[in-house]
Amino acid sequence: MNILVLNCGSSSIKYQLFDMRNKSVLAKGLVHRVGMNGSKIDHRKGDKGDKFTVNEEVIDHKDGIKKVLNLLICKEKGVLSSLDEIKAVGHRVVHGGEKFAGSVLIDEDVLSAVRDCIGFAPLHNPPNLKGIEAVTELMPTVKQSAVFDTAFHQTMPQKAYLYALPYMFYEKEKIRRYGFHGTSHRFVSKRAAEMLKIPYERAKIITCHLGNGCSIAAVDGGVSVDTSMGHTPLEGLVMGTRCGDIDPAIILFIMKKYELSPNEIDNLLNKHSGVQGLSGESNDLRDLEEGWPNRSEKANMALDVYSYRIRKYIGSYMAVMNGCNAIAFTAGVGENSPIVRSIVCKELDFLGVKIDYDLNEKTWRGVEGDISTPDAKVRTLVVGTNEELVIAEDTLDLIQGRLHPKTGKPV
Ligand code: AMP
């Protein structure tokens, strides 16, 4: 049973084809620069096979997906003899608003609900929809599912998701905390409970997803009770180019003083802030860490601000859950940066967090593990995230009837 997972961004299409009998990756790749000059497809057979690049014009998402499907059945580079071998397609969809607390099979109602959420995620939901529409045209009989970034956080209590604005803005405009990276927080918190050998229903886990975007979640008994990203993915932690939490009055001050339009301030906060804005050097932690701690003053400062914010959230989420069994680091930085993990954990011993610095140094590049000292009361784990596998698993559960097709709840 093969399942294709698609993650359609504004100018890219990520894909992975899974054989769900053993959950192995048959092929994967990335279509770059969709609808732009210089588009190309990086494709590989298997999870770690050699990458080869197809330099071809990709005019839009439908064209990109068509070319991916052709690659999958191509004699030389492909892995299937016919597209009939793909039983279903699972899509990552960024925003499901309050309508979706689980993954669902796509029908007209789902499509219209995803369209209703475009206002919340104007950069993400439209390309997600384009991917779904393209598959409907290219493979009309195949079942499709939507797996939402926001769904896992729908369990947050009202006190966590409401902002202290006039209540009308929630009632009328649905302005509230939604949270993102839900698929990753779900996968990682569950895996952390497995690693600790405690039932997921009783585990209190803080998951730190530190990648291009960064968010942190408090997962209590298998449900998200709070998370750092908010109405949009701008709130919370310091990120590569996003500012995370700031005093909202700063926005008004800058807009007035520098006569910036809403689009210009949006651009400043999303694209020119974070560690890029602070250091003036790079948005990539790998650059800022090179030579650390004997790096430039500004690079060190950016790394400090980035790590301090994570520590602050960890402390507050321990308070939110009234305890914590483990902190789980994941995604590009979380899985690969002993430096960030050590700065974050250094002064958390009062709360029971103690890491073994040698183990920390050795745990990266795909190595998973517990990096705590034996006497640590709160364990510190490094866990590899796998959002694509979760999308494939949910899709399989939906088409085989283990999840309700319209709510995603276990049947
Ligand atoms: P992701 O969004 O999970 O793919 O993470 C991408 C980010 O991970 C990049 O922007 C890098 O800054 C970061 N990253 C990847 N490898 C390392 C590393 N070895 N050390 C620090 N950061 C890393």
Side-chain angles (χ1 to χ4, degrees):
M1 175 81 81
N2 301 327
I3 290 184
L4 177 65
V5 173
L6 291 178
N7 179 355
C8 295
S10 53
S11 62
S12 68
I13 305 166
K14 270 193 206 151
Y15 62 93
Q16 276 196 36
L17 180 70
F18 286 90
D19 176 347
M20 295 309 285
R21 286 172 305 182
N22 54 8
K23 301 189 177 169
S24 61
V25 176
L26 294 174
K28 67 198 260 191
L30 175 62
V31 186
H32 299 262
R33 300 179 65 80
V34 175
M36 299 157 89
N37 286 334
S39 44
K40 59 173 188 170
I41 308 177
D42 286 331
H43 176 86
R44 62 177 93 219
K45 282 191 197 180
D47 198 16
K48 299 200 165 87
D50 289 341
K51 178 173 88 178
F52 51 88
T53 300
V54 185
N55 289 301
E56 252 187 298
E57 193 190 4
V58 177
I59 54 173
D60 56 20
H61 285 77
K62 184 173 161 200
D63 188 34
I65 293 173
K66 195 170 169 189
K67 290 191 161 111
V68 168
L69 295 175
N70 283 340
L71 271 175
L72 294 175
I73 54 170
C74 150
K75 267 221 167 84
E76 185 200 339
K77 298 161 187 155
V79 288
L80 302 174
S81 45
S82 124
L83 291 180
D84 293 339
E85 290 170 42
I86 299 177
K87 286 293 168 262
V89 178
H91 296 265
R92 175 191 183 212
V93 179
V94 166
H95 217 303
E98 288 189 324
K99 291 200 176 112
F100 299 103
S103 307
V104 292
L105 279 183
I106 292 172
D107 59 16
E108 274 310 314
D109 292 344
V110 171
L111 281 176
S112 119
V114 174
R115 283 189 199 110
D116 288 345
C117 293
I118 286 178
F120 294 145
L123 297 181
H124 294 98
N125 275 25
N128 299 159
L129 278 161
K130 279 188 191 158
I132 297 169
E133 284 156 4
V135 172
T136 309
E137 281 185 47
L138 297 165
M139 306 168 82
T141 56
V142 85
K143 291 210 163 112
Q144 299 186 68
S145 76
V147 179
F148 299 94
D149 261 34
T150 48
F152 182 60
H153 301 299
Q154 277 297 301
T155 46
M156 276 188 291
Q158 198 180 46
K159 61 190 173 194
Y161 72 68
L162 276 187
Y163 293 111
L165 291 168
Y167 192 64
M168 177 279 279
F169 287 106
Y170 170 61
E171 278 186 310
K172 209 166 154 220
E173 306 293 342
K174 291 287 168 226
I175 291 180
R176 51 159 287 177
R177 176 180 310 285
Y178 287 101
F180 297 86
H181 295 140
T183 314
S184 175
H185 289 296
R186 170 154 71 108
F187 177 85
V188 170
S189 55
K190 203 164 180 189
R191 177 81 195 109
E194 275 167 21
M195 287 163 78
L196 297 174
K197 298 191 173 56
I198 53 177
Y200 192 37
E201 301 70 36
R202 279 202 275 119
K204 292 176 189 286
I205 314 281
I206 295 173
T207 43
C208 307
H209 179 109
L210 313 176
N212 275 324
C214 301
S215 72
I216 179 161
V219 184
D220 194 349
V223 298
S224 169
V225 293
D226 207 345
T227 190
S228 58
M229 281 181 170
H231 187 70
T232 73
L234 183 58
E235 193 183 346
L237 300 178
V238 176
M239 309 179 212
T241 60
R242 285 177 246 169
C243 60
D245 295 336
I246 60 168
D247 177 347
I250 297 170
I251 298 169
L252 305 177
F253 174 83
I254 294 179
M255 283 182 83
K256 275 189 208 149
K257 177 140 190 192
Y258 292 85
E259 295 178 0
L260 298 192
S261 67
N263 278 347
E264 285 168 333
I265 190 83
D266 190 59
N267 204 28
L268 179 110
L269 301 172
N270 274 294
K271 306 251 171 76
H272 300 283
S273 299
V275 291
Q276 165 75 60
L278 278 170
S279 69
E281 289 182 26
S282 174
N283 66 341
D284 193 318
L285 267 276
R286 280 169 293 201
D287 296 336
L288 301 178
E289 286 182 348
E290 224 180 288
W292 180 87
N294 304 314
R295 194 67 171 70
S296 74
E297 207 178 301
K298 284 200 166 153
N300 285 346
M301 174 187 69
L303 211 53
D304 265 353
V305 176
Y306 177 93
S307 308
Y308 175 76
R309 182 80 50 87
I310 300 167
R311 173 137 48 95
K312 228 160 96 164
Y313 266 97
I314 289 174
S316 73
Y317 284 175
M318 285 186 179
V320 160
M321 293 195 287
N322 191 18
C324 175
N325 298 109
I327 299 163
F329 286 95
T330 193
V333 181
E335 292 170 39
N336 293 303
S337 172
I339 294 177
V340 166
R341 294 191 303 245
S342 69
I343 307 176
V344 170
C345 295
K346 204 169 67 191
E347 282 160 34
L348 282 173
D349 50 343
F350 170 75
L351 294 170
V353 179
K354 279 191 195 170
I355 64 168
D356 176 322
Y357 288 93
D358 286 339
L359 264 179
N360 180 40
E361 288 295 327
K362 288 182 198 142
T363 311
W364 67 311
R365 291 218 173 130
V367 182
E368 204 175 58
D370 185 337
I371 55 168
S372 332
T373 58
D375 61 332
K377 281 202 257 123
V378 174
R379 314 304 300 171
T380 302
L381 309 175
V382 177
V383 181
T385 193
N386 196 339
E387 288 154 284
E388 290 79 10
L389 178 61
V390 178
I391 296 173
E393 284 176 339
D394 276 9
T395 307
L396 186 69
D397 286 345
L398 283 162
I399 62 172
Q400 294 188 335
R402 284 184 293 277
L403 292 178
H404 191 283
K406 284 192 176 287
T407 63
K409 292 215 169 84
V411 175

